[in-house]
Structure formats: structure tokens, C-alpha cells
Amino acid sequence: MYIWFTVLAGLAILSLPFLKTCFPYFGEDFAYIMRSIQLGARLVKYKKKKPFYSILDCFLDKVKRHPAKTFVHFEGREYSYGEVDKQSNKVARALQAAARLKEGDTVALFLANEPSFIWIWLGLAKLGCPTALLNFNIRSKSLLHCFSCCGAKVIIASAELQDAVEEVLPTLREQGISVYLLSEACSIQGMNTLSDKISQASDQPLSRDLRANIHIRSTALYIYTSGTTGLPKAAVVTHERVWAASFIQAACGVTAEDVFYINLPLYHSAGFLIGMAGGIERGMTIFLRRKFSASQFWDDCRKYNITVMQYIGETMRYLCNTPKKDDEKNHRVRIAIGNGVRTDIWTEFLNRFGDIKVRELYAATEGNIGFINYTSKIGAVGRVNFIHRFFFPYTLIKFNIETEEPVRNSEGLCIEASPGESTGLLVGKITQRSPFIGYAGNKQQTENKRLRDVWKGENVATSEVADILTMAPCILEANVYGVKVEGHEGRIGMAAVILKEGEEFDCSGTYKQVANYLPAYARPRFIRIQASLEMTGTFKMKKVRLVEEGFNPAHIQDSLYFLDPEKKTYIPMTEEIYRAIASREIKL
Ligand SMILES: *[C@@H]1O[C@H](CO)[C@@H](O)[C@H](O)[C@H]1NC(C)=O
Ligand SMILES: *[C@@H]1O[C@H](CO)[C@@H](O)[C@H](O)[C@H]1NC(C)=O
């Protein structure tokens, strides 16, 4: 390796003009390769280190180095590295005493983006306990499903989610689950308070022996992902994965002096691993927000000297949709890390907000391979250099989007896609270096990893939505899918339903059903009433036809309904509404 890089460095100096012509990304390739090699070497070192050096140990080192430095900035308050450390000691001690937690016990966290998310996780890590990061939008059956598939015996919820927990409390109690509420008082039988116990606990450090058996392949987290089929799945995130993801900031050139803006949910890998854990790895300051706000975004950046932002496709679109202002380029944001931005929005974003280096990533929480676009080429999701290719073999294969299956040749083998083809499926070779860890408690889903369908930046399990719809008294069967709407990224949820014999479609009852059980982004905006399920063709072929037919009342004979969030009910879909959606008077 050493010789290789001496040679490369020599080449770079001797023949820069030549290289610049033949390999326009040579400089970037070189810097990125050097950073990757350094990070790779660190990971190898951590793998061998005894006792195992986890992201928690890294945090404790940063606390020693700069206890007074701000770690988290939240709603006008700053929390230093030292303060967060002490707070996490209190959490660990309170839970150790109250819930008798010990190394290896999984605990589910059910709370929104707030600083306690971070210190509760750190406290649990100090006890050697893996944490399951529940999506705080889920309710009822989904909540129970997510909770039970990680095998947790304890759930910690914020006070504002008390009602959601109360709804499933009887089942949790039946299963002997301990429920803790981040509140000083609670009058509900079977729910324990935690805030009082935390404030009374000592902030003294905890012994490392409590987590003596944790190693690099131990489970650190469960992060929920949902595909197009079935309920959300708990992806097992090992400590090795945590390290790999938290190196992404470093690989993108972020330093300890940067300030990182997190407005994505901490229950997903982007916010938690790349943002927060990456922030710990860099020893930097994080500006945390409860939720993304396009109108506040640049003011926050200016006020808090933010230099690195994180995005999903919608982030940039929403920012580009805000009214133009004179001082738009007046900020210090220099790097944007994320995924899902479209080429046209990317270009517009740079034109409006200035020279920001966009680092587009391609990776999935449970995937075994990832890419970073470190050269800032517009439209590219990543750049692959020869080193990456050697370590992480992958290929793009031909894929039929209608049947959602790879195209196979006469011998039943997949076919490699040619460059320039518009559709392909990325397959990564599963190796020792890039293992596929899979999902918790579900072999079948690990086998059946499928494409994802994105609505508003969230993955929605269509069969879960269908399950919820069929719980409405009037609905017999439901087929849920996403339709493309001009000017909207991702897909908008739609359901074709069959009513029970002799029933009318109950607009307000069905609205109540979806509003009670589904987060806003998963509620079908359009409902199509079908007389009967056609008996020809596979389920998937029918779905393809429904998707194609869309939601234009002028072209569809069946009755159509539209979810009106202001009226809190479904209303009959009219051509007027259709036009208003097309002209974006109605925003979905
Ligand atoms: C931002 O930077 C300016 C100038 O460097 C400094 O005066 C100010 O205190 C900083 N603001 C914050 C919130 O750190
Ligand atoms: C990466 O992103 C930049 C724009 O930020 C772009 O110019 C570059 O072509 C992208 N693609 C690759 C392969 O790096």
C-alpha cells in the first residue's frame, strides 16, 4: 500500500496537467482515496483493539479533550460535551437502579428529535445495552410490531407520546414490558416516570466493566426501514456499521471546526449515524432541530454559523420553493451531505444558494455497500475509484420495474446493465468486508429485500397501509400504491378499495381510521372505489395498471375520493381538485 501511494503521489506532482486532462477528478480522487485509506486503517485498528473501542469511547475521549465545547445546540440552549456526558451517567444510573438493565438488554426509544435522545442513547451504551430507535410517528399495530421485533424488554417514551403508549399499554403489560415516561409524574397504572429518577441519580462515571463483552460485531442499534411489502423491519446495526457510517463526514472533508445541522429524524440512519455519531467522531458542534423548516433554514445557518447541512431530496426542493431573497448566498454552509436530490433541483440549489459542495450518498441502512459523490458532479450519486471497486465489488443488473424482478437470461442468470441504461438494480457482493447483517427477528424479510417506494422522503409499507384500511368497517379489501404527481418528488399514496356488501364509502370514518393509525405521510391521499377485484393477472400486474391509471376523474369511471386535511375527511374527487393539484394550488 505504502509503495502504491508514493508512486501515486509522485505521478500527481510530475504530471498534473496531463492528469487533469485525462482524469478530471484526479485531485478529488486522490484526496478522497487518501482519506478513505486513513479511515479504513482506523477501522482495522478499532477491530483489533482490546478492549473494543466504540463510538461511546470516542465520545468519552472528546469529553476529556474539550469538556466545555458545545456538543448540541437545541432551541436556544447549548449543551457541552461535559454536560451531555454527566447527563448520560445519570440516565445510566437511573435505569440501572429502576429497570435492572444489564449488558445486552435491548431498550426501545420512542421520542422526537431532542437532546435527551442523545444522552439516553449514550447512557444505554454505557450499560452495554443496544437501543432500538422507534419512529415516533407510528402508532398502534405498527408500534407494537416494531417494538416486539427488536426483542426489547423496556420502552422509554417522551411525555408528549404518552397517549400513543397508553393505547398499546395493555399488550405491553401482558408481555411484561417495562414502560418509562420522560416525565416527573404520571397517574397511569403501569407507566413509570423516569425524569425524576434521572434528576436524582448521581452523575459519576460508570465502570467500563459494565460493557466488557461488547465487540465490533455486537448489535449497537436497531433502525427501522420499510420496504414496499410488509410492516417496517428492524435492521440490525452493529458497532462496525456505526463506525463505517460515522466516518462519512470525515470522508466528505468535514472537520472538528465545522457546525453540523441535523433536521432529519434521529430515528433514521442519516440523522443518527451520519449526523450525530459522525459529529461525535469529528468532535464537532451539532445544531439539532425538532423538524425541518424551509423558512427558518438559512436564518438558522447564519445565526449559528452552520457549515455542513444534511438533506434528502425534498430538503433541497423545499428550499428552492421558498421566496427569493437578496442575502441568500450570505451564509457559511460549505458542504451538503445526503441523498435523493434530482439533477434540476441540484443545479437550481447551487445557483440560488452559492457554491456548496454537494456530497450525494447512495446507501441503505441495511445495505452492504455505499457510494459517495465526492467530486461534486451534478446528478451523480457517487463516484467509484479503483480502490473502492476492489474492496466493495458490485454491479448494475437489468431490472424490470413493472414486475419488480431482475431480468434473467435463458439460463436464469441476471444480466449486467449497459452504461446509459435508465433503469438497473444495484447488487453488492456480500463479503467479509461488506456483510449483509439483515433484519431482526425475520429471516423471510432478510431473504426478500425489495425495492423501496418513497413518499415524501419516508418509506411506506403499502401492505401495512392496506391492513389499516381494511380495519375500517366499510372496507373489504385494499390495494395500496404510489402515484406520480407532476411537480412532486417521490410518490403520493393511493388506495383502490372494494367495499363490503351493501356498504357505502364512509368518508369521515375512513379518514378517522387512517388518521388514528398512520403518520400523515403514509395516509392515502386518493381512494378509488372498485366494484370487484379483477381475477385476471397477478397482484403486481394489477398494481402496475392502477399506478398507470392514476387519479384523474376525467379518465376513471370508478368513484374517487381525496383526503382533505383541513376538513379532516375524504371528499369526492372532482376535476376542479385535479386541476388545482396540477397547478400546485393544492400542495400534497
Ligand atoms: C458565529 O461566528 C461569529 C463570528 O465568527 C461569532 O461572533 C458568533 O458568536 C458565532 N455565533 C455562534 C452562535 O457561535
Ligand atoms: C458529484 O457531484 C458533483 C456536484 O456537486 C458533480 O459535479 C459530480 O459530477 C458528481 N459525480 C461524480 C461522479 O462524482
Side-chain angles (χ1 to χ4, degrees), residues 195 324 437 568:
S195 304
K324 281 207 167 76
I437 315 282
K568 296 193 184 306

Side-chain angles (χ1 to χ4, degrees), residues 70 73 78 259 285 300-306 332:
T70 302
H73 217 131
E78 292 171 48
V259 179
T285 299
D300 282 346
C301 291
R302 277 185 282 272
K303 193 160 166 202
Y304 300 101
N305 299 331
I306 283 157
R332 301 187 191 177

Side-chain angles (χ1 to χ4, degrees), residues 24-54:
Y25 299 116
F26 189 83
E28 279 121 332
D29 267 351
F30 191 71
Y32 177 80
I33 290 172
M34 290 309 275
R35 285 201 294 261
S36 311
I37 296 276
Q38 275 171 6
L39 294 168
R42 265 176 66 195
L43 193 57
V44 169
K45 195 174 96 189
Y46 294 164
K47 276 190 195 175
K48 293 199 181 126
K49 199 161 171 180
K50 294 253 161 57
F52 168 59
Y53 187 79
S54 67

Side-chain angles (χ1 to χ4, degrees), residues 25 346 358 373-378 380 382-383:
Y25 299 116
W346 188 333
V358 177
N373 174 2
Y374 53 86
T375 57
S376 299
K377 179 170 167 20
I378 292 177
R383 178 164 165 80

Side-chain angles (χ1 to χ4, degrees), residues 21 79 108 120 146 187 217 310 363 380 430 434 469 533 562 569 583:
T21 324
Y79 302 86
I120 293 174
C146 289
S187 59
R217 292 274 158 96
Q310 206 173 10
I430 294 174
S434 54
L469 279 171
L533 278 183
F562 173 65
T569 184
S583 66

